[in-house]
Amino acid sequence: MNKILVPVDFSEHAAYALEVAAKLAKDFNSEILVLHMMGLSEAYLTKSESEEAAEAHFYMKLAKKRYETFLDKPYLKGVKVTEMVQNYKIFSEINELAKERNIDLIIMGSHGASGVSEIFVGSNTEKVVRTSDIPVLVIKKPTPSFNPELVVFACDLRVESIKAYHSARALFAEWNLKLHLVFVNLPNEEFMSTEEIRKKADLFIKVAHNGELPSNTEIIYVSDYSIEGGIFNHANEVNADLIAIPTHGRSGIAHFFKGSIGEDVVNHAKLPVITFRV
């Protein structure tokens, strides 16, 4: 983990993400790239060249002034931090920047306190997740001592998900953690028998690990009315530190976050969530 990208809007939640980034940067001797997206409107872009240059200069100065306060944090002492201001308006540009700069991890803050469906959906964080080929870690509350020991990985046990699973293992390799691969058995037409799930799991282990699951990894089967409900309920039950989710780009997130769920699950939406592209 050499380079960490933190897109910021100078909000309280962006500061939560920055603090976690600082912790990881110290743990892994990484550097942090902090990005502010101005996102100026089309109306601004149609102004004359001189007006455009003058306003661009104004917004740049304003952003740099806000950086001075935002980055004046004791936890950043000794960490290499590079600040950037760009007029990005589409979030796929963050993915392009991340690839150009060889970023290993993107960390973002998100609120969405009113429900699990709002962890990503309808937010800038969700837009970054959908367009990112790089893992995205979402932080929702102050987590200064971020050091996950138990990670719940939402796993459909499909061979197609092994790429995301291997990406997760590669990123987690430096941590001495336990990994729960959680398969959620759904009712009605999606229901599977225990034997069917076991066969599916055996094939997954065969392809992913030549038939032998690592000692720090377990496959867990749970039954629930929704995938998100099963994942969050299990995370709550085992007191997990982090939830990992494979995504399929523009169509993937909705697969894990749809429908209504119970209040207990909503409360655990405050857990950090990390996504990996399938």
Coordinates of all heavy atoms in Angstrom, one line a residue, residues 33-94:
L33 N -2.4 11.2 -1.2 CA -2.8 12.3 -2.2 C -4.2 12.7 -1.8 O -5.1 11.9 -1.8 CB -2.8 11.7 -3.6 CG -3.2 12.6 -4.7 CD1 -2.2 13.8 -4.8 CD2 -3.2 11.9 -6.1
V34 N -4.4 14.0 -1.5 CA -5.7 14.5 -1.1 C -6.2 15.3 -2.3 O -5.6 16.2 -2.8 CB -5.6 15.4 0.2 CG1 -7.0 15.9 0.6 CG2 -4.9 14.7 1.3
L35 N -7.4 15.0 -2.7 CA -8.0 15.6 -3.9 C -9.3 16.3 -3.6 O -10.2 15.7 -3.0 CB -8.3 14.5 -4.9 CG -9.1 14.9 -6.2 CD1 -8.4 15.9 -7.0 CD2 -9.6 13.7 -6.9
H36 N -9.4 17.6 -4.0 CA -10.7 18.3 -3.9 C -11.2 18.6 -5.3 O -10.5 19.1 -6.1 CB -10.5 19.7 -3.2 CG -11.7 20.5 -3.1 ND1 -12.9 20.1 -2.6 CD2 -12.0 21.7 -3.7 CE1 -13.8 21.0 -2.7 NE2 -13.3 22.0 -3.4
M37 N -12.4 18.2 -5.5 CA -13.1 18.4 -6.8 C -13.9 19.6 -6.7 O -14.9 19.7 -6.0 CB -14.0 17.2 -7.2 CG -13.2 15.9 -7.3 SD -14.4 14.5 -7.5 CE -15.2 14.9 -9.0
M38 N -13.6 20.6 -7.6 CA -14.3 21.9 -7.6 C -15.7 21.7 -8.2 O -16.7 22.2 -7.8 CB -13.6 23.0 -8.3 CG -12.4 23.5 -7.5 SD -11.7 25.0 -8.1 CE -11.1 24.5 -9.7
G39 N -15.7 20.9 -9.3 CA -17.0 20.6 -10.0 C -17.8 21.9 -10.4 O -19.0 22.0 -10.2
L40 N -17.1 22.8 -11.1 CA -17.7 24.0 -11.5 C -18.7 23.7 -12.6 O -18.6 22.9 -13.4 CB -16.7 25.0 -12.0 CG -15.6 25.5 -11.0 CD1 -14.6 26.4 -11.6 CD2 -16.3 26.1 -9.8
S41 N -19.8 24.5 -12.6 CA -20.9 24.3 -13.5 C -20.6 24.6 -15.0 O -19.7 25.3 -15.3 CB -22.2 25.1 -13.1 OG -21.9 26.4 -13.2
E42 N -21.5 24.2 -15.8 CA -21.4 24.5 -17.3 C -21.5 26.0 -17.5 O -20.9 26.6 -18.4 CB -22.5 23.8 -18.1 CG -22.3 22.3 -18.1 CD -20.9 21.9 -18.8 OE1 -20.5 22.6 -19.7 OE2 -20.3 20.9 -18.3
A43 N -22.4 26.7 -16.7 CA -22.5 28.1 -16.8 C -21.2 28.8 -16.6 O -20.9 29.8 -17.3 CB -23.5 28.6 -15.7
Y44 N -20.4 28.3 -15.6 CA -19.1 28.9 -15.4 C -18.2 28.7 -16.6 O -17.5 29.6 -17.0 CB -18.5 28.2 -14.2 CG -17.0 28.4 -14.1 CD1 -16.4 29.6 -13.6 CD2 -16.1 27.3 -14.5 CE1 -15.0 29.7 -13.6 CE2 -14.8 27.5 -14.5 CZ -14.2 28.7 -14.0 OH -12.9 28.8 -14.0
L45 N -18.3 27.5 -17.2 CA -17.4 27.2 -18.3 C -17.7 28.0 -19.6 O -16.9 28.0 -20.5 CB -17.5 25.7 -18.6 CG -17.0 24.8 -17.5 CD1 -17.2 23.3 -17.8 CD2 -15.5 25.0 -17.2
T46 N -18.9 28.6 -19.7 CA -19.2 29.3 -20.9 C -18.9 30.8 -20.8 O -19.1 31.6 -21.7 CB -20.8 29.3 -21.2 OG1 -21.5 29.7 -20.0 CG2 -21.2 27.8 -21.5
K47 N -18.3 31.2 -19.7 CA -17.8 32.6 -19.5 C -16.6 32.9 -20.4 O -16.0 32.0 -20.9 CB -17.5 32.8 -18.0 CG -18.7 32.7 -17.1 CD -18.3 33.1 -15.7 CE -19.5 33.1 -14.8 NZ -19.3 33.6 -13.5
S48 N -16.3 34.1 -20.5 CA -15.2 34.5 -21.4 C -13.9 34.0 -20.7 O -13.9 33.7 -19.6 CB -15.1 36.1 -21.5 OG -14.8 36.6 -20.2
E49 N -12.9 34.0 -21.6 CA -11.6 33.4 -21.1 C -11.0 34.2 -19.9 O -10.5 33.6 -18.9 CB -10.6 33.5 -22.3 CG -9.9 32.2 -22.5 CD -9.0 32.2 -23.7 OE1 -7.8 32.6 -23.6 OE2 -9.5 31.8 -24.8
S50 N -11.1 35.5 -19.9 CA -10.6 36.3 -18.9 C -11.4 36.1 -17.6 O -10.8 36.0 -16.5 CB -10.6 37.8 -19.2 OG -11.9 38.2 -19.5
E51 N -12.7 36.0 -17.7 CA -13.6 35.8 -16.5 C -13.3 34.4 -16.0 O -13.2 34.2 -14.7 CB -15.1 35.9 -16.9 CG -15.6 37.3 -17.1 CD -17.0 37.3 -17.4 OE1 -17.4 36.6 -18.4 OE2 -17.8 37.9 -16.8
E52 N -13.2 33.5 -16.9 CA -12.9 32.1 -16.5 C -11.6 32.0 -15.7 O -11.5 31.3 -14.6 CB -12.9 31.2 -17.7 CG -12.8 29.7 -17.4 CD -12.8 28.9 -18.6 OE1 -13.5 29.2 -19.6 OE2 -12.0 27.9 -18.7
A53 N -10.6 32.6 -16.2 CA -9.2 32.6 -15.6 C -9.3 33.2 -14.2 O -8.7 32.7 -13.2 CB -8.2 33.3 -16.5
A54 N -10.0 34.3 -14.1 CA -10.1 35.1 -12.8 C -10.8 34.2 -11.8 O -10.4 34.1 -10.6 CB -10.8 36.4 -13.0
E55 N -11.9 33.6 -12.2 CA -12.7 32.8 -11.2 C -12.0 31.5 -10.9 O -12.0 31.1 -9.7 CB -14.1 32.5 -11.8 CG -15.0 33.7 -11.8 CD -16.5 33.3 -11.9 OE1 -16.8 32.2 -11.4 OE2 -17.3 34.2 -12.3
A56 N -11.3 30.9 -11.8 CA -10.5 29.7 -11.6 C -9.4 30.0 -10.5 O -9.2 29.3 -9.6 CB -9.9 29.2 -12.8
H57 N -8.8 31.2 -10.7 CA -7.8 31.6 -9.7 C -8.4 31.8 -8.3 O -7.8 31.4 -7.3 CB -7.1 32.9 -10.2 CG -6.0 33.4 -9.3 ND1 -4.8 32.7 -9.2 CD2 -5.9 34.5 -8.5 CE1 -4.0 33.4 -8.4 NE2 -4.7 34.5 -7.9
F58 N -9.6 32.4 -8.3 CA -10.3 32.6 -7.0 C -10.6 31.3 -6.3 O -10.3 31.1 -5.1 CB -11.6 33.4 -7.3 CG -12.5 33.5 -6.1 CD1 -12.2 34.3 -5.0 CD2 -13.6 32.7 -6.0 CE1 -13.0 34.4 -3.9 CE2 -14.4 32.7 -4.9 CZ -14.1 33.6 -3.8
Y59 N -11.2 30.4 -7.1 CA -11.6 29.1 -6.5 C -10.3 28.3 -6.1 O -10.4 27.6 -5.0 CB -12.4 28.3 -7.5 CG -13.8 28.8 -7.6 CD1 -14.3 29.3 -8.8 CD2 -14.7 28.8 -6.4 CE1 -15.7 29.8 -8.8 CE2 -16.0 29.2 -6.5 CZ -16.5 29.7 -7.7 OH -17.8 30.2 -7.8
M60 N -9.3 28.4 -6.8 CA -8.0 27.7 -6.5 C -7.5 28.2 -5.1 O -7.1 27.5 -4.2 CB -7.0 27.9 -7.5 CG -7.1 26.9 -8.7 SD -6.6 25.3 -8.2 CE -6.2 24.6 -9.8
K61 N -7.5 29.6 -5.0 CA -7.0 30.2 -3.8 C -7.9 29.8 -2.6 O -7.4 29.5 -1.5 CB -7.0 31.7 -3.9 CG -5.8 32.2 -4.7 CD -5.7 33.7 -4.8 CE -5.3 34.3 -3.4 NZ -5.2 35.8 -3.4
L62 N -9.2 29.8 -2.8 CA -10.1 29.4 -1.8 C -9.9 28.0 -1.3 O -9.8 27.7 -0.1 CB -11.6 29.5 -2.3 CG -12.7 29.3 -1.3 CD1 -12.6 30.3 -0.1 CD2 -14.0 29.3 -2.0
A63 N -9.7 27.1 -2.3 CA -9.5 25.6 -1.9 C -8.2 25.5 -1.2 O -8.1 24.8 -0.2 CB -9.4 24.8 -3.2
K64 N -7.1 26.2 -1.6 CA -5.8 26.1 -0.9 C -5.9 26.6 0.5 O -5.2 26.1 1.4 CB -4.7 26.8 -1.7 CG -4.4 26.1 -3.0 CD -3.2 26.6 -3.7 CE -2.9 25.7 -5.0 NZ -1.6 26.0 -5.6
K65 N -6.7 27.7 0.7 CA -6.9 28.2 2.0 C -7.6 27.2 2.9 O -7.2 27.0 4.1 CB -7.7 29.5 1.9 CG -7.6 30.4 3.2 CD -8.0 31.8 2.9 CE -7.7 32.7 4.1 NZ -8.1 34.1 3.9
R66 N -8.6 26.6 2.4 CA -9.3 25.6 3.1 C -8.4 24.4 3.4 O -8.5 23.7 4.5 CB -10.5 25.1 2.4 CG -11.6 26.2 2.2 CD -12.8 25.7 1.5 NE -13.7 25.0 2.5 CZ -14.8 24.4 2.2 NH1 -15.3 24.5 1.0 NH2 -15.5 23.8 3.1
Y67 N -7.5 24.0 2.5 CA -6.5 22.9 2.8 C -5.7 23.3 4.0 O -5.3 22.4 4.8 CB -5.6 22.7 1.5 CG -6.1 21.6 0.6 CD1 -6.1 21.8 -0.8 CD2 -6.5 20.4 1.1 CE1 -6.5 20.8 -1.7 CE2 -7.0 19.4 0.2 CZ -6.9 19.6 -1.2 OH -7.3 18.6 -2.0
E68 N -5.3 24.5 4.1 CA -4.4 24.9 5.2 C -5.0 24.5 6.5 O -4.3 24.0 7.4 CB -4.1 26.4 5.2 CG -3.1 26.9 4.1 CD -3.0 28.4 4.1 OE1 -3.3 29.0 5.1 OE2 -2.6 28.9 3.0
T69 N -6.3 24.8 6.7 CA -7.0 24.4 7.9 C -7.2 22.9 8.0 O -7.0 22.3 9.0 CB -8.3 25.2 8.0 OG1 -8.1 26.6 7.9 CG2 -9.0 24.9 9.4
F70 N -7.7 22.4 6.9 CA -8.1 21.0 6.9 C -7.0 20.0 7.1 O -7.1 19.0 7.8 CB -8.8 20.7 5.5 CG -9.4 19.3 5.4 CD1 -10.6 19.1 6.1 CD2 -8.8 18.3 4.7 CE1 -11.3 17.8 6.0 CE2 -9.4 17.0 4.7 CZ -10.7 16.8 5.3
L71 N -5.8 20.4 6.6 CA -4.6 19.5 6.8 C -3.8 19.8 8.0 O -2.8 19.2 8.2 CB -3.8 19.6 5.5 CG -4.4 19.1 4.2 CD1 -3.5 19.3 3.0 CD2 -4.9 17.7 4.3
D72 N -4.2 20.8 8.8 CA -3.5 21.1 10.0 C -3.9 20.2 11.1 O -4.6 20.6 12.0 CB -3.7 22.6 10.3 CG -2.9 23.0 11.5 OD1 -1.9 22.4 11.8 OD2 -3.2 24.0 12.2
K73 N -3.5 18.9 11.0 CA -4.0 17.9 12.0 C -2.7 17.2 12.6 O -1.8 16.9 11.8 CB -4.8 16.9 11.3 CG -6.1 17.4 10.6 CD -7.1 17.9 11.6 CE -8.5 18.1 10.9 NZ -8.5 19.1 9.9
P74 N -2.7 17.0 13.9 CA -1.6 16.3 14.5 C -1.3 14.9 14.0 O -0.2 14.5 13.9 CB -1.9 16.3 16.0 CG -3.4 16.6 16.1 CD -3.7 17.4 14.9
Y75 N -2.4 14.2 13.6 CA -2.2 12.9 13.1 C -1.5 12.8 11.7 O -1.1 11.7 11.3 CB -3.5 12.1 13.1 CG -4.7 12.7 12.3 CD1 -4.7 12.8 10.9 CD2 -5.8 13.3 13.0 CE1 -5.7 13.3 10.2 CE2 -6.8 13.8 12.3 CZ -6.8 13.8 10.9 OH -7.9 14.4 10.2
L76 N -1.4 14.0 11.0 CA -0.7 14.0 9.7 C 0.8 14.2 9.9 O 1.6 14.2 8.9 CB -1.3 15.0 8.8 CG -2.7 14.7 8.3 CD1 -3.2 15.9 7.5 CD2 -2.6 13.5 7.4
K77 N 1.3 14.5 11.1 CA 2.7 14.7 11.4 C 3.5 13.5 10.9 O 3.3 12.4 11.3 CB 2.9 15.0 12.8 CG 4.3 15.6 13.1 CD 4.5 16.0 14.6 CE 5.9 16.5 14.8 NZ 6.1 16.9 16.2
G78 N 4.5 13.8 10.1 CA 5.4 12.7 9.6 C 4.9 12.0 8.4 O 5.6 11.1 7.9
V79 N 3.7 12.4 7.9 CA 3.1 11.7 6.7 C 3.3 12.6 5.5 O 3.0 13.8 5.6 CB 1.6 11.4 6.9 CG1 1.0 10.8 5.7 CG2 1.4 10.5 8.1
K80 N 3.7 12.0 4.4 CA 3.9 12.8 3.2 C 2.5 13.0 2.6 O 1.8 12.0 2.2 CB 4.8 12.1 2.2 CG 5.0 12.9 0.9 CD 5.8 12.1 -0.1 CE 6.0 12.9 -1.4 NZ 6.7 12.2 -2.5
V81 N 2.1 14.2 2.4 CA 0.7 14.6 1.9 C 0.9 15.5 0.7 O 1.5 16.5 0.8 CB -0.2 15.2 3.0 CG1 -1.5 15.6 2.4 CG2 -0.3 14.3 4.2
T82 N 0.3 15.1 -0.4 CA 0.2 16.0 -1.6 C -1.2 16.4 -1.8 O -2.1 15.6 -1.8 CB 0.7 15.2 -2.8 OG1 2.1 14.7 -2.6 CG2 0.7 16.1 -4.1
E83 N -1.4 17.7 -2.0 CA -2.8 18.2 -2.2 C -3.0 18.6 -3.6 O -2.1 19.0 -4.3 CB -3.1 19.4 -1.3 CG -2.1 20.6 -1.5 CD -2.2 21.6 -0.4 OE1 -1.9 21.4 0.7 OE2 -2.6 22.8 -0.8
M84 N -4.2 18.3 -4.1 CA -4.6 18.6 -5.5 C -6.0 19.2 -5.5 O -6.9 18.9 -4.7 CB -4.7 17.3 -6.3 CG -3.4 16.7 -6.7 SD -3.6 15.3 -7.8 CE -4.2 16.1 -9.3
V85 N -6.2 20.1 -6.5 CA -7.5 20.7 -6.7 C -7.8 20.5 -8.2 O -6.9 20.9 -9.1 CB -7.5 22.2 -6.4 CG1 -8.9 22.8 -6.7 CG2 -7.2 22.4 -4.9
Q86 N -8.9 19.9 -8.6 CA -9.2 19.7 -10.0 C -10.7 20.0 -10.2 O -11.5 19.9 -9.3 CB -9.0 18.2 -10.3 CG -7.6 17.7 -10.3 CD -6.7 18.2 -11.4 OE1 -7.2 18.7 -12.4 NE2 -5.4 17.9 -11.3
N87 N -11.0 20.5 -11.4 CA -12.4 20.8 -11.8 C -13.1 19.6 -12.4 O -13.6 19.6 -13.4 CB -12.5 22.0 -12.7 CG -13.9 22.4 -12.9 OD1 -14.7 22.4 -12.0 ND2 -14.3 22.8 -14.1
Y88 N -13.0 18.4 -11.6 CA -13.7 17.2 -12.1 C -15.2 17.4 -11.9 O -15.6 17.9 -10.8 CB -13.2 16.0 -11.4 CG -11.8 15.6 -11.7 CD1 -11.0 14.9 -10.8 CD2 -11.1 16.0 -12.8 CE1 -9.7 14.5 -11.0 CE2 -9.8 15.6 -13.1 CZ -9.1 14.9 -12.2 OH -7.8 14.5 -12.5
K89 N -16.0 16.9 -12.8 CA -17.4 16.9 -12.7 C -18.0 15.5 -12.8 O -19.1 15.3 -12.4 CB -18.1 17.9 -13.7 CG -17.7 19.3 -13.5 CD -18.4 20.2 -14.4 CE -18.1 20.0 -15.9 NZ -16.6 20.1 -16.2
I90 N -17.3 14.6 -13.4 CA -17.7 13.2 -13.5 C -16.8 12.4 -12.7 O -15.5 12.6 -12.8 CB -17.8 12.7 -15.0 CG1 -16.5 12.9 -15.7 CG2 -19.0 13.5 -15.7 CD1 -16.6 12.3 -17.1
F91 N -17.3 11.4 -12.0 CA -16.5 10.7 -11.0 C -15.6 9.7 -11.5 O -14.7 9.2 -10.9 CB -17.5 10.2 -9.9 CG -18.0 11.2 -9.0 CD1 -19.1 12.0 -9.4 CD2 -17.4 11.5 -7.8 CE1 -19.6 13.0 -8.6 CE2 -17.9 12.6 -7.0 CZ -19.0 13.3 -7.4
S92 N -15.8 9.3 -12.8 CA -14.9 8.4 -13.4 C -13.5 9.0 -13.6 O -12.5 8.3 -13.7 CB -15.4 8.0 -14.8 OG -15.6 9.1 -15.7
E93 N -13.4 10.3 -13.5 CA -12.1 11.0 -13.6 C -11.2 10.7 -12.4 O -10.0 10.7 -12.5 CB -12.3 12.5 -13.8 CG -12.9 12.9 -15.1 CD -13.3 14.4 -15.2 OE1 -14.1 14.9 -14.4 OE2 -12.7 15.1 -16.1
I94 N -11.9 10.4 -11.3 CA -11.1 10.0 -10.1 C -10.4 8.7 -10.4 O -9.2 8.5 -10.0 CB -12.0 10.0 -8.9 CG1 -12.4 11.4 -8.5 CG2 -11.3 9.3 -7.7 CD1 -13.2 11.4 -7.2

